[in-house]
Amino acid sequence: MSLRARFETIRDATLRLAAPLSADDCQAQSHPDASPVKWHLAHTTWFFETFVLGRRGGLNGALFNSYYASLGEPLPRASRALLTRPSLDDVLRYRREIDREVCRTPDVDAALVELGLQHEQQHQELILTDLKHLLWMNPARPAYVKRAAEARDVDASPAAWMEFPGGLVEIGADGSGFAFDHERPRHRRFLEPFALASRPVTCGEYLEFMRDGGYTRPELWLSDGWDAVRREGWTSPLYWEDGRLFTLAGPRPLDPLEPVCHVSAYEADAYARWAGARLPGEDEWEVAAERARLPRGTFLESGRLHPAPGPAARLLGDVWEWTRSAYGPYPGYRAPDGELGEYNGKFMSGRLVLRGGSCATPESHVSATYRNYFPPDTRWQFTGIRLAK
Amino acid sequence: MSLRARFETIRDATLRLAAPLSADDCQAQSHPDASPVKWHLAHTTWFFETFVLGRRGGLNGALFNSYYASLGEPLPRASRALLTRPSLDDVLRYRREIDREVCRTPDVDAALVELGLQHEQQHQELILTDLKHLLWMNPARPAYVKRAAEARDVDASPAAWMEFPGGLVEIGADGSGFAFDHERPRHRRFLEPFALASRPVTCGEYLEFMRDGGYTRPELWLSDGWDAVRREGWTSPLYWEDGRLFTLAGPRPLDPLEPVCHVSAYEADAYARWAGARLPGEDEWEVAAERARLPRGTFLESGRLHPAPGPAARLLGDVWEWTRSAYGPYPGYRAPDGELGEYNGKFMSGRLVLRGGSCATPESHVSATYRNYFPPDTRWQFTGIRLAK
Amino acid sequence: MSLRARFETIRDATLRLAAPLSADDCQAQSHPDASPVKWHLAHTTWFFETFVLGRRGGLNGALFNSYYASLGEPLPRASRALLTRPSLDDVLRYRREIDREVCRTPDVDAALVELGLQHEQQHQELILTDLKHLLWMNPARPAYVKRAAEARDVDASPAAWMEFPGGLVEIGADGSGFAFDHERPRHRRFLEPFALASRPVTCGEYLEFMRDGGYTRPELWLSDGWDAVRREGWTSPLYWEDGRLFTLAGPRPLDPLEPVCHVSAYEADAYARWAGARLPGEDEWEVAAERARLPRGTFLESGRLHPAPGPAARLLGDVWEWTRSAYGPYPGYRAPDGELGEYNGKFMSGRLVLRGGSCATPESHVSATYRNYFPPDTRWQFTGIRLAK
Amino acid sequence: MSLRARFETIRDATLRLAAPLSADDCQAQSHPDASPVKWHLAHTTWFFETFVLGRRGGLNGALFNSYYASLGEPLPRASRALLTRPSLDDVLRYRREIDREVCRTPDVDAALVELGLQHEQQHQELILTDLKHLLWMNPARPAYVKRAAEARDVDASPAAWMEFPGGLVEIGADGSGFAFDHERPRHRRFLEPFALASRPVTCGEYLEFMRDGGYTRPELWLSDGWDAVRREGWTSPLYWEDGRLFTLAGPRPLDPLEPVCHVSAYEADAYARWAGARLPGEDEWEVAAERARLPRGTFLESGRLHPAPGPAARLLGDVWEWTRSAYGPYPGYRAPDGELGEYNGKFMSGRLVLRGGSCATPESHVSATYRNYFPPDTRWQFTGIRLAK
């Protein structure tokens, strides 16, 4: 696909995600780490305006800059829902104008356009996760879509352990194809032999942990995790309510064969300890992904909008998988010069790496080397558990 | 006017206030004590549905009950902006349906309809004050209306003192006409002789206080007020910015002859102390209003949406005037039985009485006996200062 | 008693309160509104040093100024427990030095010495209430004294209503004898006829309220009170635990005939509403105290350190009685000039008046015109309930 | 030294640290992560009582358990200063009794005694760091000791880079001698070539960073670090005030040749970025320590109580050196069974590893494999900066 066609396809996919939503839906923000859909629509456009068209400052910068301090003081995150002006219609107009300009500009920097598109895809996922949280906060528990796509390949077989020998390995992106700065450089590591489960932990398995007193036994938890359990009153994953699950298609019964999701890294860690296992390192995960070449699970394009109960063995897709690796620089990492140096590098503290992409991730966006990162108490993303030992 | 005509006129006036606003504008809430315009539109309708039509519970109750605990746990105030469903269109449809039902119902309780209309008028004012705060939080400082009505009767003459003899007086609503429960019963009080200024304190006068170090001299302030100054970083009334004033028609230069507004009771008290005066008691204010019969100032109907620099002497309108009276029950007050007993009575702690109505109050809504009440640190209402001694 | 003898007696009484305590006990502070005993010992001394000896500033001012902003920025209240230097021994030496100076100074201002002694007596009560809270926070629930004085005049008779005719009355201190600034001037008020209960509400009566769901029925509570119940998780008065009461002599069973104490104004108000009564106005209370001349209850000197179950009818002593009167200035009140103007005047917002003194108040310190004041959510003082109607 | 002699020596060293302090000094706690000296004295004793003598529960457990959830709910950290009972005298008596019992018990578990002594040494350092913060919070800035030991080996030469080749290395404690669980197992890692500075960053060097706008340039900071700078108002390391430094011997002028200390990991990281370097990994640090065998700096025994300006090259001592390594388990780590499994393992999230020991660490307590860990915003420990590249 030409870059131009790719540009139009990806930008349009964002609009299609927003299409079922009213201006009301696009305005609201249900917690400080989430953003209104309207803001996502504008911010991704501002990204092209700023980095591809090279226009800086002005009101768009004051409103739609996310966190680039070198571009001026951004609006506080929690204030994004206060931007009733520009209206949704104005923002859609803004998208069309910038799209037209990008397409008309003779020698755009293709690498920056590609970065903008990868960025756009990240926000496609965030539109869904932020919206899901917003709808959940409404006592009526309304749905984003009437009906989600049915699951295929349902499989009730237990997880198997995939064994790997360890030794000197390489991880990280090599030169070919797009990769974010923090996936580079490819470098060597030494690993002990390890094993990875052949699929993510399911709701049914997680229920056993809960029934065994998982949320009431401090010995299973990291200290910070136990503090979070008590401070937040966690007794189940997010979006569980009276044996039912809230999804983007509204509430419905739990399916015990589906991967458990919306768990924090603390819950993932406690589950793993309870199960006599542990979370993988990101290097182990990546080595396994490159060598085992398992089938993929569910992505955004499936229209399911929720992790699926199959196939029996799979790696990418369905849920982001918490690793026990703190998010940090690879040996020899250098943040890019200039403003885009703030894209990833400055977040290299207090976050854990997640791998694999989820049912809300565009399939083309993730790979075996892709690194996502969130603080360990994050639950509103489609985050799940892959066991290691 | 017949009650039916009055019903249609007042309900319609609310819609006209919302008419210039987008769905985006109606969705947002900029602080926990404010509400989204859409919520105001729905809540006032729920009031009629509940108390006039006698329907209780259901989803409307879960979403649009403000604070009537006897009708079930209300939605937390800070969550009102999360109700993207029902949409603004749905809420407008809800208004039309309930209006039709009220008008079609043969023997509605006229007193309850009247209470609903008075309640509606209270929310008309809140729509404006809440919206003003929301627009202010937008870095673009957008306007609600392009242009506000010009001031008439501009007058630069200094305030005069109106003297009153004190003695045994009566305050409170007598039997005739509508009055809220807390305006009753009319009762006797003993007052020392007192004097009241002939008009509210102006911006020009308040600027002198500021220039004299008003916000940096603890000896001028109540202890709680000084704490608020430091905690909140107050250095001027709300909505002052670099010598300009933010109004519902956008930012514009200060007019020194306009009444100062958007001050807390603490600021009003500090100003009065600085000026060698004090705030009035609500009984003094009411006696003055009944005896002096000064001209009225500006109300909502003027379209000015801001207090005006004249006439020279005036009492009701322009700004709510802080009194030093704690909001409490008159001797012999009894809250109404049932759910409507929660309307006013349960707020009789921690609040001060304000008198007189503002430029955002419907003129027919206020009178000499009308009692408004807010916590002393409130600034987003059109609150000003009347001196006494 | 000569002023000199009175000075020595009252200063010595403070030392006797601290005598059973270790340096450890005197150092700690269990909530921001309380102070360490060592700080009380030093602050009262600083009061004489500053206002009687006329020495200002210096380290003592930086450490032991409570809230006199005109004497420089006081140490934050919550930091008082951090002052391990000077040590308790140093503070006791400081007391002796200042006492000697005061006694040696030829023409001390007798009015200021008297104010210092009244201030000292206020802190005697605070030493006991602050210490009680501190000991309560210790899981071992240790006692201040081994054994408290036995109750005399135990009386199980029900409260009677004392009727008063209302009309034009006078309240406030007249010229004779010591009175705080805020007790003046004596002035006229108009009262409706009212009745006052002949004794405070007892624990047994309060238990009935609790058993009738008092803490779970929002309709009984002021809105702010209900918020406090939920925020703080109140289900009983402070210091009640499994049917036992924590006292300065340690935990012991509840006595249903003792006055209930350690209730907030919100609890007092909710109880009164439940009982079909209300809290008195401070003017009603004072008129009753002057006219009814009931026997007094228990004061500090009794050594009981807890309110007592008798005599049958009584007014001053045992518990501070919440009134529904907001603490404010009497008509014509003027705060004293200079720094001592901060003593009371600046607290005239957000507080309610309490009347009558408690079992921790020195008996000579209170009178019918005495005004104490605390925010309505205060519970660590010996605060109780007198019903009115 | 026999274990018995070692026991007596180390336990006695703790007492000698507390000897210059009053009961007042030992009672207070100036922030929630610090503890009162009295509590340290009691907690270390409780550790022997619980784990060596095998007595569980009781009041000592309720008061002096730090964080062992499997031994019952510990007292909230912030409440430790409220334990005025037992008194300091009682705690000293408790120490003597437990010491006697430990020494009298025939077959104590030597490994548990050794763990208790290592634990005791950790608390010796905490006694000094917690006390330093407490004295700093006193406006009088009092001193712990009149005079600290003079510096020897002052050296103004610039830091050199020590080069290391990388490759497959081993880190972690091998079987011999005491090591904490988390120092094991010794295991292989692959490292790229790296260099380490020959001494910690000095105050003089850090001042250049400050003068170059270090605290005002977001591009130098991790995102979480910049948030901390703004939230906490940091403009220098902790304990710097008007060009002077607060030490355990009181305030004195900065010495530009001393290692900078009391910096957070965020400040260390920002300084390193400004200097064109980075923080070391804990594996790099350990490899360097084992291979370079530099002289040691200052430890607790020196009596200096502050990092020293020499010798020119040195590694252990003076300041704990922030690494960029998240604190986590070594490959194959298993927390010990039982209650002591909570000692380290449960803190393996949200913390960074520090290496090398400080001027407040007993010299025998640290080694090349020793791992300390704190959250990245920690400043009250003696934490400094070692550059790597």
Side-chain angles (χ1 to χ4, degrees):
Chain A
M1 203 188 303
S2 74
L3 184 61
R4 163 99 186 235
R6 192 166 147 72
F7 179 81
E8 283 168 355
T9 305
I10 291 176
R11 289 283 285 170
D12 190 55
T14 309
L15 289 183
R16 273 184 293 116
L17 287 177
L21 301 173
S22 66
D24 317 55
D25 285 331
C26 292
Q27 180 62 42
Q29 173 180 28
S30 57
H31 70 99
D33 294 333
S35 297
V37 171
K38 185 171 79 178
W39 190 89
H40 285 298
L41 295 172
H43 164 70
T44 47
T45 305
W46 166 86
F47 194 94
F48 284 103
E49 183 184 18
T50 303
F51 296 115
V52 172
L53 300 182
R55 286 209 299 267
R56 303 287 148 94
L59 190 56
N60 288 340
L63 303 183
F64 303 130
N65 176 6
S66 50
Y67 55 62
Y68 296 86
S70 47
L71 288 167
E73 178 84 23
L75 189 75
R77 292 182 76 89
S79 298
R80 291 174 182 169
L82 305 184
L83 300 178
T84 64
R85 321 276 175 97
S87 68
L88 178 59
D89 285 344
D90 292 335
V91 164
L92 294 174
R93 200 170 303 120
Y94 172 47
R95 284 184 73 90
R96 287 192 298 271
E97 283 165 14
I98 296 298
D99 285 0
R100 223 175 295 129
E101 277 197 74
V102 168
C103 292
R104 261 199 320 242
T105 304
D107 13 70
V108 290
D109 182 329
L112 288 174
V113 173
E114 182 57 37
L115 182 67
L117 294 176
Q118 297 286 344
H119 175 257
E120 184 95 15
Q121 288 184 311
Q122 291 180 319
H123 281 273
Q124 288 168 4
E125 176 151 12
L126 293 173
I127 283 173
L128 291 174
T129 55
D130 295 0
L131 180 71
K132 183 172 181 178
H133 191 268
L134 172 65
L135 296 175
W136 162 258
M137 294 299 286
N138 189 319
R141 305 276 187 271
Y144 166 58
V145 292
K146 284 244 176 61
R147 173 185 296 268
E150 296 287 314
R152 293 176 301 177
D153 304 316
V154 176
D155 194 303
S157 48
W161 287 107
M162 305 183 291
E163 310 274 348
F164 298 90
L168 213 52
V169 302
E170 283 198 348
I171 69 163
D174 55 19
S176 68
F178 176 83
F180 281 103
D181 55 355
H182 62 179
E183 298 176 51
R184 298 209 158 92
R186 191 159 175 90
H187 63 283
R188 281 170 291 177
R189 297 202 178 183
F190 184 84
L191 293 183
E192 303 292 333
F194 67 96
L196 225 64
S198 59
R199 59 155 176 72
V201 171
T202 63
C203 287
E205 290 163 343
Y206 198 84
L207 264 171
E208 288 177 56
F209 163 74
M210 286 168 58
R211 287 178 183 142
D212 196 33
Y215 283 94
T216 60
R217 293 166 52 188
E219 72 272 19
L220 296 173
W221 295 79
L222 288 166
S223 179
D224 294 344
W226 185 242
D227 288 350
V229 165
R230 304 224 287 185
R231 185 179 63 243
E232 306 293 337
W234 292 343
T235 58
S236 74
L238 184 60
Y239 301 135
W240 290 32
E241 190 176 33
D242 304 328
R244 292 167 69 81
L245 214 57
F246 180 71
T247 74
L248 281 162
R252 64 157 168 78
L254 264 177
D255 177 346
L257 295 180
E258 286 170 354
V260 67
C261 68
H262 301 300
V263 292
S264 64
Y266 297 131
E267 287 160 296
D269 177 89
Y271 176 86
R273 185 167 296 114
W274 172 81
R278 60 170 174 84
L279 300 181
E282 67 165 322
D283 38 22
E284 295 171 333
W285 194 99
E286 185 168 327
V287 165
E290 293 203 336
R291 298 199 184 161
R293 302 221 161 266
L294 296 188
R296 294 180 152 217
T298 304
F299 289 94
L300 174 53
E301 292 79 355
S302 71
R304 182 166 160 76
L305 302 174
H306 204 76
R314 63 207 128 119
L315 197 51
L316 282 84
D318 285 316
V319 288
W320 286 103
E321 297 174 10
W322 286 108
T323 73
R324 67 178 185 185
S325 300
Y327 176 54
Y330 284 168
Y333 169 76
R334 269 180 53 95
D337 291 334
E339 296 131 356
L340 285 168
E342 298 189 52
Y343 198 113
N344 286 311
K346 72 180 183 183
F347 298 109
M348 289 176 172
S349 75
R351 287 154 182 85
L352 291 175
V353 174
L354 300 110
R355 293 293 195 125
S358 83
C359 58
T361 314
E363 182 160 10
S364 70
H365 181 64
V366 280
S367 71
T369 64
Y370 192 95
R371 309 173 82 196
N372 194 358
Y373 50 87
F374 277 99
D377 59 354
T378 304
R379 308 213 308 169
W380 96 108
Q381 297 296 303
F382 287 93
T383 46
I385 312 170
R386 169 86 51 177
L387 295 182
K389 66 179 186 187
Chain B
M1 206 190 301
S2 75
L3 183 61
R4 164 99 185 235
R6 190 165 148 72
F7 178 80
E8 285 168 356
T9 305
I10 290 176
R11 289 284 285 169
D12 190 56
T14 309
L15 288 183
R16 275 184 291 117
L17 287 177
L21 301 173
S22 66
D24 316 57
D25 285 331
C26 292
Q27 180 63 40
Q29 172 179 28
S30 57
H31 70 98
D33 293 333
S35 297
V37 170
K38 184 170 81 178
W39 191 89
H40 284 299
L41 295 172
H43 163 70
T44 46
T45 305
W46 167 87
F47 194 94
F48 284 104
E49 183 184 18
T50 303
F51 296 114
V52 173
L53 300 182
R55 286 208 299 267
R56 302 289 146 94
L59 189 57
N60 289 339
L63 303 183
F64 303 130
N65 176 7
S66 50
Y67 55 63
Y68 296 84
S70 47
L71 288 167
E73 179 84 22
L75 189 76
R77 292 183 75 89
S79 298
R80 291 174 183 170
L82 305 183
L83 301 177
T84 64
R85 321 275 176 98
S87 68
L88 178 58
D89 285 345
D90 292 336
V91 164
L92 294 175
R93 199 170 306 121
Y94 172 47
R95 283 184 74 90
R96 286 192 298 271
E97 283 164 15
I98 296 298
D99 284 0
R100 221 174 297 129
E101 278 198 72
V102 168
C103 291
R104 260 200 319 244
T105 303
D107 15 67
V108 291
D109 182 328
L112 288 174
V113 173
E114 181 58 38
L115 182 66
L117 293 176
Q118 297 285 343
H119 175 258
E120 184 95 13
Q121 289 183 311
Q122 291 180 319
H123 281 273
Q124 288 169 3
E125 175 151 12
L126 292 173
I127 283 173
L128 291 174
T129 56
D130 294 0
L131 180 71
K132 183 172 181 178
H133 191 268
L134 172 65
L135 296 174
W136 162 257
M137 294 298 285
N138 190 319
R141 305 275 187 271
Y144 165 59
V145 292
K146 284 243 177 63
R147 174 186 295 271
E150 296 287 314
R152 292 177 299 179
D153 304 318
V154 176
D155 194 303
S157 48
W161 288 106
M162 305 183 290
E163 310 273 349
F164 298 90
L168 212 52
V169 301
E170 283 198 350
I171 70 162
D174 54 20
S176 68
F178 175 84
F180 281 104
D181 55 356
H182 61 180
E183 299 175 52
R184 299 210 158 92
R186 191 161 176 86
H187 62 284
R188 281 170 291 177
R189 297 203 177 182
F190 184 84
L191 294 182
E192 302 294 331
F194 67 96
L196 225 63
S198 58
R199 57 155 176 74
V201 171
T202 64
C203 286
E205 289 162 345
Y206 197 83
L207 264 171
E208 288 178 56
F209 163 73
M210 286 168 59
R211 289 180 181 141
D212 196 33
Y215 283 93
T216 61
R217 293 166 52 187
E219 72 271 20
L220 296 173
W221 295 78
L222 287 165
S223 179
D224 294 344
W226 185 241
D227 288 350
V229 165
R230 307 224 287 183
R231 185 178 63 243
E232 307 292 337
W234 292 342
T235 59
S236 73
L238 183 61
Y239 301 134
W240 289 33
E241 192 176 32
D242 304 327
R244 292 169 68 81
L245 212 60
F246 180 71
T247 73
L248 282 161
R252 64 154 168 80
L254 265 177
D255 177 345
L257 295 181
E258 286 170 356
V260 66
C261 67
H262 300 301
V263 292
S264 64
Y266 298 131
E267 288 161 295
D269 177 87
Y271 176 86
R273 186 167 296 114
W274 173 82
R278 60 171 175 84
L279 300 181
E282 67 165 322
D283 39 21
E284 293 170 335
W285 193 99
E286 184 168 329
V287 164
E290 293 203 336
R291 298 199 185 158
R293 305 222 158 265
L294 296 188
R296 293 179 153 218
T298 305
F299 288 93
L300 174 54
E301 292 79 355
S302 72
R304 181 166 159 76
L305 301 173
H306 204 76
R314 62 207 129 119
L315 197 50
L316 280 83
D318 286 313
V319 288
W320 287 102
E321 298 173 9
W322 285 109
T323 73
R324 68 177 186 186
S325 300
Y327 176 54
Y330 285 168
Y333 169 76
R334 269 180 54 93
D337 291 334
E339 296 130 355
L340 284 168
E342 297 190 51
Y343 198 114
N344 287 309
K346 74 179 181 182
F347 298 108
M348 289 175 172
S349 74
R351 288 155 183 84
L352 291 176
V353 173
L354 299 110
R355 293 294 194 122
S358 83
C359 57
T361 314
E363 183 160 9
S364 70
H365 182 64
V366 280
S367 69
T369 64
Y370 192 95
R371 308 172 84 196
N372 195 358
Y373 49 87
F374 277 99
D377 59 355
T378 304
R379 308 214 307 170
W380 96 106
Q381 297 296 305
F382 287 94
T383 45
I385 312 170
R386 169 86 52 178
L387 296 181
K389 67 180 189 187
Chain C
M1 205 189 301
S2 76
L3 183 61
R4 163 99 186 235
R6 190 165 148 73
F7 178 81
E8 284 167 356
T9 306
I10 290 176
R11 290 283 283 169
D12 190 56
T14 309
L15 289 183
R16 275 185 289 116
L17 287 177
L21 301 173
S22 66
D24 317 56
D25 286 331
C26 293
Q27 180 63 40
Q29 173 179 28
S30 56
H31 70 98
D33 294 333
S35 298
V37 170
K38 185 170 80 178
W39 191 89
H40 284 299
L41 295 172
H43 163 70
T44 47
T45 305
W46 167 87
F47 194 94
F48 285 103
E49 184 185 17
T50 303
F51 296 114
V52 172
L53 300 182
R55 286 209 298 266
R56 304 287 147 95
L59 190 56
N60 289 340
L63 303 183
F64 303 130
N65 175 7
S66 50
Y67 55 62
Y68 296 84
S70 46
L71 287 168
E73 179 85 22
L75 189 76
R77 292 182 74 89
S79 298
R80 290 174 183 170
L82 306 183
L83 301 177
T84 65
R85 320 276 177 97
S87 68
L88 178 58
D89 285 344
D90 292 336
V91 164
L92 294 175
R93 199 170 304 120
Y94 173 47
R95 284 184 73 92
R96 286 191 298 272
E97 282 165 14
I98 296 298
D99 284 1
R100 223 174 296 130
E101 278 198 72
V102 167
C103 292
R104 262 201 317 245
T105 303
D107 15 68
V108 292
D109 182 328
L112 288 174
V113 173
E114 182 58 37
L115 182 66
L117 293 175
Q118 297 285 343
H119 174 258
E120 185 94 14
Q121 290 184 310
Q122 291 180 319
H123 281 273
Q124 289 170 1
E125 176 151 14
L126 292 173
I127 283 173
L128 291 174
T129 55
D130 294 0
L131 180 71
K132 182 172 182 178
H133 191 267
L134 172 65
L135 296 174
W136 163 257
M137 294 299 285
N138 189 319
R141 306 275 187 273
Y144 166 59
V145 291
K146 285 242 176 65
R147 174 186 296 268
E150 296 287 314
R152 292 177 299 179
D153 304 318
V154 176
D155 195 302
S157 48
W161 288 107
M162 304 184 290
E163 310 273 349
F164 298 91
L168 213 53
V169 301
E170 283 198 350
I171 69 162
D174 55 20
S176 68
F178 175 83
F180 282 104
D181 55 357
H182 62 179
E183 298 176 51
R184 299 209 158 92
R186 191 160 176 89
H187 62 283
R188 281 170 290 177
R189 296 201 179 184
F190 185 84
L191 294 182
E192 303 293 331
F194 67 96
L196 224 63
S198 59
R199 59 155 175 74
V201 170
T202 64
C203 286
E205 289 163 344
Y206 197 83
L207 265 171
E208 288 179 57
F209 163 74
M210 287 167 60
R211 290 181 180 138
D212 196 33
Y215 282 92
T216 61
R217 292 167 52 188
E219 73 271 20
L220 296 174
W221 295 79
L222 287 165
S223 178
D224 294 344
W226 185 241
D227 288 350
V229 165
R230 306 223 288 184
R231 184 177 64 242
E232 306 292 338
W234 291 343
T235 58
S236 73
L238 183 61
Y239 301 135
W240 289 33
E241 191 176 34
D242 305 327
R244 291 169 69 80
L245 213 59
F246 180 71
T247 73
L248 282 161
R252 64 156 169 78
L254 264 176
D255 177 346
L257 295 181
E258 285 170 357
V260 68
C261 66
H262 300 299
V263 293
S264 64
Y266 297 132
E267 288 161 295
D269 177 88
Y271 176 86
R273 186 168 294 114
W274 173 81
R278 60 171 175 84
L279 300 181
E282 66 166 321
D283 39 21
E284 293 170 335
W285 194 99
E286 185 168 328
V287 164
E290 293 203 336
R291 300 198 184 160
R293 304 221 159 265
L294 296 187
R296 292 179 153 218
T298 305
F299 289 93
L300 175 54
E301 291 79 355
S302 71
R304 181 167 160 76
L305 301 173
H306 204 77
R314 62 207 129 120
L315 196 51
L316 281 84
D318 286 313
V319 288
W320 286 104
E321 298 173 8
W322 286 108
T323 73
R324 68 177 187 186
S325 301
Y327 176 54
Y330 285 168
Y333 169 76
R334 269 179 53 94
D337 291 333
E339 297 130 356
L340 285 168
E342 297 190 52
Y343 199 113
N344 287 309
K346 73 180 182 183
F347 298 108
M348 289 175 172
S349 73
R351 288 156 182 84
L352 291 176
V353 174
L354 299 109
R355 294 293 194 120
S358 84
C359 58
T361 314
E363 182 159 9
S364 70
H365 182 65
V366 280
S367 69
T369 63
Y370 192 94
R371 308 172 83 195
N372 194 358
Y373 49 88
F374 277 99
D377 59 355
T378 304
R379 307 214 308 169
W380 97 107
Q381 297 297 304
F382 287 93
T383 45
I385 312 170
R386 169 85 53 176
L387 295 182
K389 65 180 189 186
Chain D
M1 203 189 300
S2 74
L3 184 62
R4 164 99 186 236
R6 192 165 146 72
F7 178 82
E8 284 168 356
T9 306
I10 290 177
R11 290 283 285 170
D12 190 55
T14 309
L15 289 183
R16 273 185 291 117
L17 287 177
L21 301 173
S22 65
D24 317 56
D25 285 331
C26 293
Q27 179 63 40
Q29 172 180 28
S30 57
H31 70 99
D33 294 333
S35 297
V37 171
K38 185 171 80 178
W39 191 89
H40 285 297
L41 295 172
H43 163 70
T44 47
T45 305
W46 167 87
F47 193 94
F48 285 102
E49 183 184 18
T50 302
F51 296 115
V52 172
L53 300 181
R55 285 209 299 267
R56 304 288 147 94
L59 189 56
N60 288 340
L63 303 183
F64 303 130
N65 176 7
S66 51
Y67 55 62
Y68 296 86
S70 47
L71 288 167
E73 178 85 24
L75 188 75
R77 293 182 75 88
S79 298
R80 291 174 182 169
L82 306 183
L83 300 177
T84 65
R85 320 276 175 97
S87 68
L88 178 59
D89 285 344
D90 293 334
V91 164
L92 295 174
R93 199 171 304 121
Y94 172 47
R95 283 184 74 89
R96 287 192 298 272
E97 283 165 13
I98 296 298
D99 284 0
R100 223 176 295 131
E101 277 197 74
V102 167
C103 292
R104 261 199 320 244
T105 304
D107 13 68
V108 290
D109 182 329
L112 288 174
V113 173
E114 182 58 38
L115 182 66
L117 293 176
Q118 297 286 344
H119 175 257
E120 184 95 14
Q121 289 184 311
Q122 291 180 319
H123 281 273
Q124 287 169 4
E125 176 151 13
L126 293 173
I127 283 173
L128 291 175
T129 55
D130 295 1
L131 180 71
K132 183 171 180 179
H133 191 267
L134 172 65
L135 296 175
W136 162 258
M137 294 298 286
N138 190 319
R141 306 276 187 270
Y144 166 58
V145 292
K146 285 241 177 62
R147 174 184 297 268
E150 295 287 314
R152 293 177 299 177
D153 305 317
V154 176
D155 194 303
S157 49
W161 288 107
M162 305 183 291
E163 310 274 349
F164 298 90
L168 212 52
V169 301
E170 283 199 347
I171 69 163
D174 55 20
S176 69
F178 176 83
F180 281 104
D181 55 356
H182 62 179
E183 298 175 52
R184 299 210 159 92
R186 190 158 176 91
H187 62 283
R188 280 170 291 178
R189 297 203 178 181
F190 184 84
L191 293 183
E192 303 293 333
F194 67 96
L196 225 63
S198 58
R199 58 156 175 73
V201 171
T202 63
C203 286
E205 289 163 345
Y206 198 84
L207 264 171
E208 288 177 56
F209 163 74
M210 287 168 58
R211 287 179 183 142
D212 196 33
Y215 283 93
T216 61
R217 293 167 51 189
E219 72 273 17
L220 296 173
W221 295 78
L222 288 165
S223 179
D224 294 345
W226 185 242
D227 288 351
V229 166
R230 305 225 286 185
R231 184 179 63 244
E232 307 292 337
W234 292 343
T235 58
S236 74
L238 183 60
Y239 301 136
W240 289 33
E241 191 176 33
D242 305 328
R244 292 168 68 79
L245 214 58
F246 180 71
T247 75
L248 282 161
R252 65 157 166 78
L254 265 177
D255 178 345
L257 295 180
E258 286 170 355
V260 67
C261 67
H262 301 300
V263 293
S264 63
Y266 298 132
E267 287 160 297
D269 177 88
Y271 176 86
R273 186 167 295 113
W274 172 82
R278 60 170 174 84
L279 300 181
E282 67 165 321
D283 39 21
E284 295 171 333
W285 194 99
E286 185 168 327
V287 166
E290 293 203 336
R291 299 197 185 162
R293 302 220 162 267
L294 296 187
R296 295 181 151 215
T298 305
F299 289 94
L300 174 53
E301 292 79 355
S302 71
R304 182 165 160 78
L305 301 173
H306 203 76
R314 62 206 128 120
L315 196 51
L316 281 85
D318 285 315
V319 289
W320 286 103
E321 298 174 10
W322 286 108
T323 72
R324 67 178 186 186
S325 301
Y327 176 54
Y330 284 168
Y333 169 77
R334 269 181 52 94
D337 292 333
E339 296 131 356
L340 284 168
E342 298 189 51
Y343 197 113
N344 286 310
K346 73 180 183 183
F347 298 108
M348 289 176 172
S349 74
R351 286 153 183 86
L352 291 175
V353 173
L354 299 110
R355 293 292 194 124
S358 83
C359 58
T361 314
E363 183 160 9
S364 70
H365 181 64
V366 279
S367 70
T369 63
Y370 192 96
R371 309 173 82 197
N372 195 358
Y373 49 87
F374 277 99
D377 59 354
T378 304
R379 310 213 308 167
W380 95 108
Q381 297 296 304
F382 287 94
T383 47
I385 312 170
R386 170 86 53 178
L387 294 183
K389 66 179 187 186

